[in-house]
Amino acid sequence: MGETLPTWFWVLYYCFFLVTIATAIWCMRQKRLVNVACAALILSIMIPIAHMFYNNGKDKGLNELAYFMQNVDQGDLLAIYLLALYCYIVVWWGMVAVKGKKV
């Protein structure tokens, strides 16, 4: 099967996306950052699924993160696209934090 990351990493990874989904739904119900929250909701569902399919081609000596970072470094377009999607989620969380402090 090859190497994989520890269980605690996967628990945090999926909890991050579950909290993102819940927060995006909350933002849409509060009518705050509706457009970006809708995108964050869709991406929070799409990213883990896309990354799971992406990791199907990984080499046996690498874990998922090492494989991903190696391919980003090599300029793999799908890896760079996934990295951009992760960055969107991080920026969205920054927007939620800034918007939350103003209330």
Side-chain angles (χ1 to χ4, degrees):
M1 177 173 166
E3 294 190 32
T4 189
L5 292 164
T7 304
W8 63 265
F9 176 86
W10 293 114
V11 169
L12 290 176
Y13 179 80
Y14 288 111
C15 283
F16 172 76
F17 284 108
L18 288 174
V19 171
T20 301
I21 290 168
T23 306
I25 291 170
W26 180 81
C27 283
M28 288 188 294
R29 295 185 92 202
Q30 297 293 320
K31 298 193 184 337
R32 299 170 63 198
L33 303 169
V34 175
N35 293 334
V36 291
C38 184
L41 175 64
I42 292 167
L43 292 178
S44 294
I45 295 168
M46 189 179 82
I47 291 171
I49 294 169
H51 207 134
M52 184 173 48
F53 284 116
Y54 178 74
N55 282 330
N56 281 340
K58 79 179 181 76
D59 300 327
K60 285 199 173 191
L62 298 172
N63 64 38
E64 294 84 357
L65 184 59
Y67 176 70
F68 176 66
M69 295 310 293
Q70 177 186 39
N71 285 336
V72 167
D73 191 44
Q74 292 175 353
D76 181 49
L77 291 178
L78 184 55
I80 293 170
Y81 178 70
L82 283 169
L83 181 62
L85 297 180
Y86 282 117
C87 289
Y88 179 88
I89 296 295
V90 170
V91 168
W92 179 77
W93 270 107
M95 291 171 65
V96 168
V98 168
K99 188 78 169 177
K101 287 184 178 181
K102 291 182 181 178
V103 173

